[in-house]
Amino acid sequence: MEYKALCFGFFCILFAYYVYIPIPENIEEYWKVRIIHAGMEIASLMATLFESMGLMKFEDIFVMIMALQNTMPVSDENITVIDTELSDIPVRLYLPKRNSERQRPAIIFIHGGTFTAGSFKMHCFDSLNRETANKLDVVVVAPDYRLAPQYPFPAALEDCISLVKFFLQEKVLAQYGVDPARICISGDSSGGALTAVVTQLLQDDPEYKNKIKAQILLYPALQAIDTLMPSYQEYEHGPFLSRKVAIMLSCLYLSDDKQLAKAILKNNHVPEESRHLLKFVNWSDFLPEKYKKNYVYTEPVLGKLKASYPALADSRVSPLLANDSQLQRLPSTYIVTCEHDILRDDGLIYVTRLRNAGVPVTHDHIEDGIHGAVSFATSPFYLQIGLRIKEKYIRWLEENL
Ligand SMILES: *[C@@H]1O[C@H](CO)[C@@H](O)[C@H](O)[C@H]1NC(C)=O
Ligand SMILES: *[C@@H]1O[C@H](CO)[C@@H](O)[C@H](O)[C@H]1NC(C)=O
Ligand SMILES: *[C@@H]1O[C@H](CO)[C@@H](O)[C@H](O)[C@H]1NC(C)=O
């Protein structure tokens, strides 16, 4: 009996500890955010525990939770939804049924999930793409690229590039009745990283230059150089996405070597010979004053890692490492950043750098937003803020594509 009481007490304390989080009291739908966060904390605790017991790998639990949200393709009165393959990449297509004389715009949507989990099949992404296709009478193509750690960088990127290039062929666009002058690439979180990189690479390729009319980045991850920017410190423990979980999972895209994850957590992973890249992600130069607060810029410690990871210095991993002459070629861009998000500063810095380079940027900073907000725009965990971002997203497309 006493033993049971002890165990019960232990778990209560554990639970209380994990439910307690520094969520600002004034955040909208405080309790819902708290529950979402507690769920994530418990998942991450289990991931750590099960991994140390040798039962499963750290990422497995997140893969499983996200896969629970997968849906089948369901058509409705306005759109045909099918799962198929384009250029050997699995995709879900949303094709409007209405007869139309005009060619339709198209959106290629690249889902998030830290490069290790997630699918276009997830309820949240399916409903975003469905609503976009339905409300705007546009074609939506959502690819499932290969995931880490089984397929590390550049597999995901290669899949996205190959899908986009395949889709951009004249005969394919004609088959779906798509207007070649009105194509947008969009993505959230790690999908935002892939979106930004795909857009940069296509712009740099004479054959594909100016074929993308716009890009949309929803709370994107844009660099793997400095993991102690102000937002990474301020929102280290979430809500929802903690710095540790974000790094442990997304690091697998670069390597499944635990030494790298440890170094990135300490922010001493960048090699000495990459010093010249620091200027591209120097938050002290690019973050608006309001977000700097009392943080003092300190350079990441260089040259601590013995092994070499060329991907760390690659702008195809960290699109913020592109120089100004590469950035100035980019198309019209819509960026959503959330205040309560470790990735806030990645997005804010890209906004500044793109604007400095003369790229037309629409930027919405969501004061009440948490990372992944659009993933909480469907029941049972919907947040008003998720619904509002979804509305903004659709409105921007309506006005700009
Ligand atoms: C189909 O389109 C009509 C007209 O735009 C709209 O009223 C209806 O809600 C749409 N159906 C679905 C399932 O979204
Ligand atoms: C970062 O920016 C600050 C302020 O402009 C500057 O003092 C510092 O030398 C910069 N550091 C690097 C590595 O670019
Ligand atoms: C920008 O980067 C590209 C690709 O790495 C390079 O070819 C070009 O010379 C760079 N431009 C400047 C001004 O540094």
Side-chain angles (χ1 to χ4, degrees), residues 198-215:
V198 168
T199 310
Q200 287 183 3
L201 293 177
L202 291 181
Q203 255 332 76
D204 283 346
D205 182 337
E207 198 182 330
Y208 294 93
K209 195 169 162 44
N210 299 336
K211 297 221 164 158
I212 301 298
K213 182 172 183 192
Q215 64 172 338

Side-chain angles (χ1 to χ4, degrees), residues 275 277-285 292 297 299-300:
R275 177 177 295 281
L277 297 176
L278 293 180
K279 64 175 181 291
F280 294 121
V281 293
N282 187 338
W283 61 262
S284 177
D285 284 336
K292 291 185 185 170
Y297 182 80
E299 261 180 44

Side-chain angles (χ1 to χ4, degrees), residues 28-33 36 123-124 127 370 372-388 390:
E28 191 185 44
E29 300 184 285
Y30 178 75
W31 283 103
K32 270 195 200 167
V33 172
I36 288 168
H123 188 42
C124 54
S127 85
I370 66 169
V374 172
S375 305
F376 304 110
T378 51
S379 60
F381 296 114
Y382 78 90
L383 295 175
Q384 291 299 333
I385 204 76
L387 299 179
R388 282 209 294 277
K390 199 195 251 187

